Amino acid sequence: KSTQKPFDDVRVRRALSMAIDREGWGKTLQGTVKMEAGPISWAYPNWKMPPTEMPKDVQQWLKYDPAEARKLLDAAGIKSSTEYTLNYYPYDPTYQPLAQAIIDWAGKAGMTIKGKVYEYNNWLATAFIGTYTDLLYGPDAGIDRVSSGLVDRLSKGTKNNPKNHSNISDDETQKMLKDFWAAKDEATAKDIARKVQTRSVDQVFSIYSPAPQSPILWDPPLQNFEGQRPFNHQFFYKDAFHWLA
């Protein structure tokens, strides 16, 4: 959680982000389809902001550089002898090797992490449960559809997520989410969405990474982002790793 030590220090979050070999992740655990994670799913191409369009000083936190990551950890007073725990749940067969990859990469930056299976029912008790029975994917998705995955999932206390613990404890981000919810037109909403995504990378509230593949997920080259299809809330979380706040 970004409110708990040592992850309340943005240097530690940035270090872990820089310790991740995203190119290696994509080649070994994802396959040929690139579906980059983040606050807004790859399923909304007209809303998702590519990191390459973000300022250079923000993009740097997505660069694989274990040496620079170690410098950030040193500056934050993180010792390699201190052990931290990465909780993950084994719902999907890709999650365990993915967790092990993160543990290995963090180790190269000098951060010792061990993996621990998180009981799936406990995860469900603290995750946002949304109604995605007819979630519209693709470029035609409007404000209301994107809000279901962005505002309801990450904001505090909306009527749709009374048990949600996946909100981001950051006043600036929370203000942006409220502004997004109140937006009257898509142009305004998309401008706010870009700011949310940029801040997410800069403050590392979300680990941008290749998303694990699943037969449940929409394959954009095959489906071309057209139409609607049933969508189970469980799989919405396959597109991102978030610092739960």
Side-chain angles (χ1 to χ4, degrees):
K1 294 184 178 182
S2 61
T3 55
Q4 294 182 349
K5 294 186 179 301
F7 300 107
D8 59 339
D9 189 327
V10 69
R11 294 172 296 184
V12 177
R13 302 198 301 271
R14 286 171 173 172
L16 189 54
S17 180
M18 295 183 78
I20 293 176
D21 181 1
R22 293 170 179 81
E23 189 66 24
W25 185 331
K27 288 179 179 179
T28 59
L29 295 176
Q30 187 191 34
T32 58
V33 181
K34 293 291 184 182
M35 297 183 295
E36 187 180 70
I40 293 182
S41 168
W42 51 266
Y44 304 116
N46 286 352
W47 292 85
K48 189 166 183 61
M49 181 183 185
T52 53
E53 295 180 8
M54 298 178 185
K56 294 294 184 182
D57 63 337
V58 174
Q59 292 183 37
Q60 66 178 316
W61 310 125
L62 298 176
K63 179 183 177 183
Y64 177 52
D65 194 335
E68 287 300 314
R70 181 63 254 174
K71 291 179 182 179
L72 286 171
L73 292 173
D74 286 340
I78 301 300
K79 299 179 179 179
S80 59
S81 58
T82 303
E83 187 176 83
Y84 300 95
T85 301
L86 171 65
N87 292 289
Y88 66 95
Y89 68 93
Y91 190 86
D92 185 282
T94 63
Y95 281 21
Q96 185 166 349
L98 193 155
Q100 187 58 54
I102 293 175
I103 291 170
D104 292 345
W105 288 324
K108 292 179 181 178
M111 190 173 190
T112 303
I113 298 178
K114 67 176 182 179
K116 181 180 179 181
V117 175
Y118 191 69
E119 206 279 323
Y120 185 60
N121 286 334
N122 287 338
W123 176 83
L124 284 178
T126 59
F128 168 49
I129 306 300
T131 54
Y132 299 116
T133 55
D134 62 344
L135 185 62
L136 176 66
Y137 280 176
D140 294 330
I143 299 174
D144 291 342
R145 296 293 184 180
V146 179
S147 287
S148 294
L150 181 66
V151 179
D152 287 345
R153 180 163 58 117
L154 301 181
S155 64
K156 297 179 181 179
T158 63
K159 62 180 180 180
N160 292 330
N161 63 352
K163 294 182 179 180
N164 179 35
H165 290 185
S166 66
N167 59 73
I168 293 178
S169 291
D170 174 61
D171 291 343
E172 186 169 338
T173 299
Q174 289 301 316
K175 182 181 184 305
M176 291 177 187
L177 293 172
K178 290 179 181 178
D179 291 343
F180 184 95
W181 183 261
K184 303 298 183 182
D185 60 88
E186 288 200 358
T188 299
K190 286 181 177 178
D191 180 63
I192 297 169
R194 291 174 68 87
K195 293 177 181 178
V196 170
Q197 292 172 89
T198 299
R199 184 161 181 79
S200 177
V201 171
D202 183 51
Q203 296 298 304
V204 196
F205 291 130
S206 174
I207 294 291
Y208 272 57
S209 60
Q213 288 186 4
S214 165
I216 299 296
L217 288 176
W218 198 320
D219 185 346
L222 297 179
Q223 299 293 339
N224 199 29
F225 294 112
E226 295 178 354
Q228 298 183 8
R229 64 177 297 179
F231 196 77
N232 188 315
H233 72 84
Q234 299 168 15
F235 297 99
F236 193 78
Y237 283 84
K238 297 173 76 60
D239 74 344
F241 278 77
H242 284 279
W243 298 109
L244 304 185

